[in-house]
Amino acid sequence: MSDDPYVEGPPSGQEGWSEVWRADRRYKPGGMLQRMLDGLLRRGTALDRDRQRDFNLVILDLLHDIRSDVEAVRRDLRADFDALQRDMKAADQDIARDVAGLRELLPFAVRRNDALIAALDQKIETLAVRLRDVTNPLVEGEAGSSVLKDFVYRRLEDGLRGSGAEVREAMEPYLALARERQPVLDIGCGRGEFLELCREAGVDAYGYDTNERSVADLKKRGLAGSLAGVPECFQRIDDGSIGSILAAHVVEHLPAEHLFALFREAHRVLRSGGLLMIETPNAESLLVSASEFWRDPTHLAPRHPAALTLLASEHGFDVDDIRAIHPFPEGTALAVDAGDAPSIRRVVEAINERLFGPQDLRMIVRRR
């Protein structure tokens, strides 16, 4: 501590002020007269100055104690925060391990539940369709072997095409295209999933099918449909009066002359810019063309995308989109191990692409 009773300027910080007040240091007077006045004032106010000094020192001591308490609280909080961070890190690690375990189990549980629900939906829908088949009247009043044939094909369709919910989901892309191109024809409308979607979306749609039981069922459900195949379904339709046409899983059932007629008549009835939307089993997938395709005995032949593209071009259409869709379930293809050499991986991927390519082909062509 300095022996000088004077200070040149205000002290810095609590310790500086404490030193000033304890030593009773003050600013140095400027001249003799000021020093004399300062002495007189100090003698006259000594008692008050002592009380002020004691008060100031008490305040400074309190501030020091408060600062010490704050520092102690801060140290405790920092320690608690560090402990909390350690606990949170440990909890995150535990949660991460649990989540990793759940992620491994979740796909199996989801697939199992989805399969059970799909199977239940399929059984309910099949039962409902069979009840409707029994109770619906015939469209044209035909009887005999044709009725039996229609019943059998309905059973094939129920067994091979999947549930109505699955088919409706698969029809959504075509509905999106048909919204701006009405009216729309659904050739081979079957159980009417696309017609239902159109009705719900306010799209003007009309269906044709060669199965009398299917058409009777459509009419009972309030859907617009008639009993006709290709090319008869186009006979009463005016030139350039249609916005879009859907032929989903139809071309594989048609003989060559009727396939040609589909493109010819579609070009006639569609407006300029109208769409012909085709979905058919993917002939470029060997699993499809060599096995899955032949599960349906009414299939005539897989239709190769190159042939369909050529037919579209020759009949006045431009291809907007052509792609393979609906991959096989995970696990169908050959597995690739992380440790496999790049050359082996390329070979396995090429085999998978050719053998286990997606199940269906989608082709969207636009009338010139």
Side-chain angles (χ1 to χ4, degrees):
M1 179 180 295
S2 174
D3 294 332
D4 188 359
Y6 299 107
V7 294
E8 298 296 331
S12 175
Q14 176 187 331
E15 295 298 330
W17 280 106
S18 179
E19 178 185 349
V20 167
W21 284 106
R22 291 184 190 282
D24 195 21
R25 300 176 67 189
R26 59 191 183 278
Y27 291 112
K28 187 175 183 180
M32 181 180 297
L33 181 59
Q34 186 175 2
R35 287 196 295 271
M36 290 176 60
L37 292 174
D38 181 65
L40 291 173
L41 290 172
R42 289 179 59 81
R43 284 194 294 272
T45 59
L47 185 60
D48 290 336
R49 285 190 298 103
D50 290 343
R51 284 198 296 266
Q52 183 66 49
R53 181 194 60 198
D54 294 342
F55 176 78
N56 291 344
L57 289 173
V58 169
I59 294 298
L60 290 174
D61 289 341
L62 286 174
L63 290 175
H64 180 268
D65 293 342
I66 291 174
R67 179 175 294 174
S68 299
D69 292 342
V70 168
E71 289 298 327
V73 171
R74 183 179 295 172
R75 286 193 298 271
D76 292 342
L77 288 174
R78 186 178 294 111
D80 292 343
F81 183 72
D82 291 342
L84 179 61
Q85 282 188 316
R86 290 192 297 271
D87 293 343
M88 290 180 64
K89 184 176 180 180
D92 285 343
Q93 293 172 346
D94 293 339
I95 291 173
R97 285 192 295 270
D98 293 342
V99 169
L102 289 174
R103 282 177 177 170
E104 293 179 359
L105 296 175
L106 187 60
F108 298 100
V110 169
R111 283 197 294 269
R112 181 176 180 275
N113 288 340
D114 286 348
L116 290 173
I117 292 172
L120 181 59
D121 286 344
Q122 180 73 28
K123 290 180 182 296
I124 293 172
E125 185 171 348
T126 300
L127 179 59
V129 170
R130 291 185 179 183
L131 288 172
R132 291 200 300 267
D133 284 345
V134 172
T135 59
N136 283 345
L138 298 180
V139 177
E140 303 293 343
E142 296 181 0
S145 61
S146 64
V147 176
L148 177 60
K149 179 190 70 175
D150 287 349
F151 268 111
V152 172
Y153 186 75
R154 289 275 284 181
R155 301 291 78 75
L156 283 171
E157 187 175 31
D158 293 339
L160 298 178
R161 291 209 64 189
S163 68
E166 293 170 333
V167 176
R168 281 171 59 94
E169 182 178 358
M171 294 292 105
E172 289 285 354
Y174 306 115
L175 175 65
L177 293 171
R179 286 178 187 271
E180 303 301 323
R181 300 167 183 86
Q182 301 182 43
V184 56
L185 299 182
D186 185 2
I187 308 300
C189 56
R191 297 178 301 192
E193 291 90 352
F194 182 67
L195 294 177
E196 284 182 335
L197 287 175
C198 288
R199 180 172 62 183
E200 294 167 6
V203 174
D204 184 12
Y206 197 90
Y208 292 96
D209 201 276
T210 58
N211 188 296
E212 187 166 0
R213 305 309 310 183
S214 294
V215 175
D217 183 37
L218 294 178
K219 290 181 177 295
K220 187 169 184 179
R221 288 152 55 201
L223 298 170
S226 294
L227 188 67
V230 176
E232 294 82 8
C233 61
F234 295 103
Q235 288 178 354
R236 298 182 180 180
I237 300 177
D238 294 333
D239 296 357
S241 61
I242 301 300
S244 54
I245 297 172
L246 173 65
H249 292 274
V250 171
V251 297
E252 65 271 19
H253 294 271
L254 300 178
E257 61 272 18
H258 289 177
L259 180 61
F260 300 158
L262 171 64
F263 282 92
R264 183 183 66 249
E265 290 298 303
H267 184 272
R268 179 182 67 80
V269 303
L270 283 170
R271 295 191 292 267
S272 178
L275 299 182
L276 173 59
M277 305 176 289
I278 293 176
E279 183 176 311
T280 186
N282 181 17
E284 292 190 304
S285 170
L286 293 182
L287 180 57
V288 172
S289 58
S291 177
E292 296 298 309
F293 182 86
W294 302 108
R295 293 172 64 193
D296 187 341
T298 65
H299 284 174
L300 295 182
R303 300 305 182 186
H304 198 279
L308 295 175
T309 301
L310 177 62
L311 284 173
S313 178
E314 289 296 321
H315 285 88
F317 290 94
D318 293 321
V319 177
D320 274 7
D321 185 25
I322 184 166
R323 69 179 72 182
I325 57 175
H326 305 147
F328 280 100
E330 185 179 351
T332 304
L334 301 177
V336 178
D337 293 329
D340 289 342
S343 58
I344 295 177
R345 293 173 66 90
R346 287 194 295 271
V347 170
V348 173
E349 289 169 359
I351 292 174
N352 284 335
E353 182 178 357
R354 178 57 62 184
L355 286 180
F356 308 109
Q359 301 172 69
D360 297 309
L361 175 77
R362 174 185 298 156
M363 186 172 80
I364 310 297
V365 296
R366 182 185 303 272
R367 185 190 187 281
R368 296 187 193 122

